[in-house]
Amino acid sequence: MNSAKHIYFILLFIVFSACKEKTISNETYSVSELTISEIHKAYEQKELSSVQLVETYITRIKTLDSTLNSITTINLEALGIAESLDKEYQQTGKLRPLHGIPIIVKDNINTAGLPTTAGALALADFIPEEDAFIIKKLVEAGAIIIAKSNMAEWAFSPMHTESSTAGTTRNPYNIAFVPAGSSGGTAAAVAANFGTIGLGTDTGNSVRGPSSHCALVGFRTTLGLVSRSAIVPLYLRNDVVGPMGRTVADATKILEVIAGYDSEDQLTKNSNGKIPENYSQYLIEDGLKGARIGILRELSEDNPHPEIKTLFEKAISNIDSLGGIIVDPLIIPGFKDLRQNQWCATFTEDIEAYLSKYVKSDTLKTIEDIIRIGSNSEWAGERVKRNAAHSGRWEDSEIACLDVYTDSRRIAFREAIENMMDSLELDAIVYPSWNNPPAHIELFSEEYKGDNNQIISPHTGQPAFTVPMGYTSENLPAGLQFLGRMYDEPTLIKLTYSYEQGTLHRKPPTNYKD
């Protein structure tokens, strides 16, 4: 175990032991699959306190995470924060929107007083003085940052979750397999009920891919809806941050809090006037009734694994039985060409800007400093060097790399999709989040296949939500992805909630039940 991580767990044991007397009951409270609404109901009925909930999650982490390796740091202040929130509720009788809800945060999001390492040796000792904008909003809403989660180093890998600071995270449904990357720590931890919900980041895959592999709901929202300031970037022009939860309702409650303008992230100015008063109003059980859903066979038929194909066809049948109108196949003119030449190598400029603004170290200013410090992951180390040697588009550096609202190639790709959606009056497009099951950890590169997350929304900026679609014969989860129009999160919430409630695919991993 990493020495810093070891020290944190020792300190945690001392604090945890000292705070045991603060619980309202010595009885064990089952936290398996608890939702935000259920927790708040338990608070109101005095069946549970924030302290008791935090203690229970911490006990689960201490007892069960040694195999998964999903958590890097537990917040030593969590119990004290929970106690303060309990006193506040006793005094006011009012619950904030996320009052006493323990959240797991990916280790590339700045959290005051807690290490934010992005899984890299270069940031192993970095402890931010201030929370990221979205963390401030969550805390103001009453959330408790209970822990930080492991991630693929610098967020480079969609394949697996391996870092220099904490090692490799395993899939709770079968520990021989990957949870995908780069937000695999959050996915594994939330799936295993180590917290109520979590945050991940998604450059090309990393909210939806791990959520799919761990039977979770993952929201990649419209680029510009949620702030990315004070988050270690990969490619900022693609980066988003989003909720990873066990239910659509829980993810929606997080989105309600974190959406909105941040002066430190000018892309969010595009969200002005496009955010509803609340998103929860779109949690409509029969939301699929009459909805027109396009089936993107160009993705789903791209050499799928037979079991994933079967699950996808069943999902289409489910949508139909729930009242959806199936448009199959959906053909987007020029799709094959438009998806090409979208990625740009902006890591160097993005990470150096982050280091200058937040880390402020004389010995860590450039990508060359990162390379000098090194990595325990050969895979991640090579990716850093490769990015140091490149700038601009990977395929055609003559075309400028711009944001989603001004980049000509990105706009053309988005318009082709949304124009076809308009002409067919589609509410959403669906396809498997992955065409293949999770890879074996030891073969993460060789078995990396069928990643549909990378292809559309990171470039077009459109929202894309994944929800559980079922399981393979090896009990490995699969996900169904819904793609919508820019800022049309309300429709995606309605559709994914209806599908979720109509199928109820989510189940906890066998070895991580209460």
Side-chain angles (χ1 to χ4, degrees):
M1 181 183 292
N2 177 272
S3 60
K5 184 177 179 181
H6 185 64
I7 292 169
Y8 270 98
F9 278 123
I10 292 173
L11 290 173
L12 168 70
F13 179 77
I14 296 170
V15 173
F16 177 75
S17 300
C19 292
K20 283 290 285 182
E21 63 188 37
K22 297 177 183 176
T23 59
I24 62 172
S25 170
N26 289 326
E27 298 178 7
T28 301
Y29 195 96
S30 173
V31 299
S32 182
E33 303 295 284
L34 272 183
T35 67
I36 293 171
S37 294
E38 289 169 344
I39 290 167
H40 279 178
K41 183 177 180 181
Y43 288 165
E44 291 168 344
Q45 296 180 347
K46 296 183 171 55
E47 296 174 350
L48 180 67
S49 71
S50 298
V51 167
Q52 189 177 18
L53 183 61
V54 168
E55 285 182 337
T56 305
Y57 280 135
I58 287 173
T59 298
R60 286 183 62 80
I61 294 169
K62 290 173 61 179
T63 304
L64 299 172
D65 192 46
S66 58
T67 302
L68 288 185
N69 196 38
S70 65
I71 299 298
T72 58
T73 303
I74 295 176
N75 184 3
L76 301 183
E77 303 296 325
L79 285 167
I81 295 167
E83 183 177 25
S84 296
L85 287 165
D86 285 338
K87 289 180 179 178
E88 177 186 311
Y89 180 53
Q90 290 169 7
Q91 293 168 357
T92 67
K94 296 180 180 179
L95 294 172
R96 302 191 221 175
L98 297 175
H99 198 105
I101 301 300
I103 295 179
I104 294 165
V105 176
K106 187 176 180 180
D107 196 23
N108 60 348
I109 302 172
N110 283 13
T111 43
L114 294 174
T116 299
T117 74
L121 296 179
L123 294 178
D125 298 321
F126 176 52
I127 299 178
E129 296 179 355
E130 188 176 356
D131 285 331
F133 178 81
I134 59 165
I135 299 298
K136 291 178 183 177
K137 296 189 78 171
L138 290 168
V139 170
E140 288 169 2
I144 301 168
I145 309 306
I146 191 171
K148 299 294 286 287
S149 58
N150 194 27
M151 59 178 285
E153 189 165 334
W154 297 117
F156 273 120
S157 179
M159 306 175 187
H160 69 322
T161 294
E162 177 191 33
S163 70
S164 288
T165 52
T168 299
T169 298
R170 297 177 178 272
N171 191 314
Y173 287 87
N174 189 325
I175 61 172
F177 293 84
V178 300
S182 62
S183 308
T186 296
V190 173
N193 287 277
F194 293 164
T196 306
I197 195 165
L199 286 180
T201 59
D202 188 317
T203 304
N205 162 87
S206 302
V207 162
R208 295 156 298 140
S211 292
S212 175
H213 276 7
C214 293
L216 297 178
V217 173
F219 284 9
R220 181 186 168 99
T221 55
T222 302
L223 265 167
L225 182 62
V226 178
S227 168
R228 295 89 42 83
S229 67
I231 298 174
V232 183
L234 178 51
Y235 302 142
L236 190 58
R237 66 194 292 275
N238 303 100
D239 292 347
V240 301
V241 59
M244 301 169 68
R246 294 184 292 269
T247 70
V248 173
D250 281 358
T252 299
K253 291 178 188 297
I254 296 296
L255 178 59
E256 284 183 332
V257 171
I258 63 176
Y261 175 69
D262 172 17
S263 61
E264 295 298 313
D265 182 355
Q266 285 301 303
L267 203 68
T268 59
K269 68 183 180 182
N270 294 283
S271 70
N272 290 335
K274 299 171 185 172
I275 300 175
E277 183 177 345
N278 72 77
Y279 285 105
S280 292
Q281 64 183 300
Y282 302 104
L283 295 168
I284 302 169
E285 195 162 338
D286 64 351
L288 275 166
K289 189 174 182 179
R292 292 176 59 82
I293 308 298
I295 311 301
L296 190 54
R297 295 288 180 184
E298 191 155 354
L299 294 187
S300 67
E301 293 300 318
D302 186 8
N303 194 29
H305 186 280
E307 290 193 56
I308 302 297
K309 180 177 175 61
T310 298
L311 290 173
F312 182 60
E313 296 304 326
K314 177 62 176 175
I316 295 172
S317 176
N318 290 147
I319 291 171
D320 178 70
S321 66
L322 290 166
I325 300 169
I326 305 299
V327 179
D328 185 10
L330 166 66
I331 298 173
I332 299 169
F335 185 86
K336 183 177 180 180
D337 292 329
L338 288 166
R339 62 182 280 189
Q340 303 301 320
N341 197 23
Q342 292 285 352
W343 289 108
C344 291
T346 62
F347 178 68
T348 297
E349 62 183 274
D350 292 339
I351 193 62
E352 289 181 354
Y354 175 88
L355 296 175
S356 174
K357 186 167 186 175
Y358 299 107
V359 180
K360 302 175 183 177
S361 169
D362 290 338
T363 59
L364 183 58
K365 293 182 176 182
T366 68
I367 195 168
E368 287 76 21
D369 291 329
I370 292 172
I371 293 170
R372 171 179 51 79
I373 293 167
S375 171
N376 292 334
S377 166
E378 180 179 353
W379 199 93
E382 287 302 316
R383 290 306 182 278
V384 173
K385 293 175 183 176
R386 182 171 175 235
N387 275 265
H390 290 271
S391 62
R393 290 187 191 268
W394 288 102
E395 298 173 46
D396 184 351
S397 59
E398 296 301 314
I399 304 174
C401 291
L402 303 174
D403 68 45
V404 73
Y405 297 95
T406 57
D407 187 298
S408 60
R409 284 204 61 78
R410 303 178 81 173
I411 293 170
F413 195 11
R414 178 171 67 250
E415 288 182 345
I417 294 170
E418 293 194 343
N419 288 344
M420 185 54 62
M421 291 180 71
D422 290 345
S423 68
L424 297 173
E425 299 182 324
L426 298 181
D427 293 277
I429 297 169
V430 299
Y431 45 87
S433 295
W434 295 82
N435 282 351
N436 291 72
H440 288 85
I441 285 179
E442 303 305 322
L443 298 170
F444 72 86
S445 182
E446 296 91 327
E447 293 182 356
Y448 172 67
K449 299 174 184 176
D451 181 357
N452 291 325
N453 303 287
Q454 307 274 353
I455 296 168
I456 302 176
S457 58
H459 312 298
T460 66
Q462 295 167 263
F465 296 179
T466 187
V467 289
M469 184 172 71
Y471 304 82
T472 70
S473 58
E474 292 187 89
N475 195 39
L476 292 170
L480 177 67
Q481 196 152 153
F482 287 74
L483 178 79
R485 294 173 176 81
M486 295 287 278
Y487 294 100
D488 199 12
E489 279 76 8
T491 295
L492 290 191
I493 289 168
K494 182 173 67 171
L495 300 178
T496 54
Y497 182 74
S498 180
Y499 176 80
E500 172 196 59
Q501 296 300 303
T503 57
L504 299 176
H505 286 306
R506 164 72 196 171
K507 62 183 180 182
T510 302
N511 294 331
Y512 297 91
K513 296 179 180 179
D514 283 348

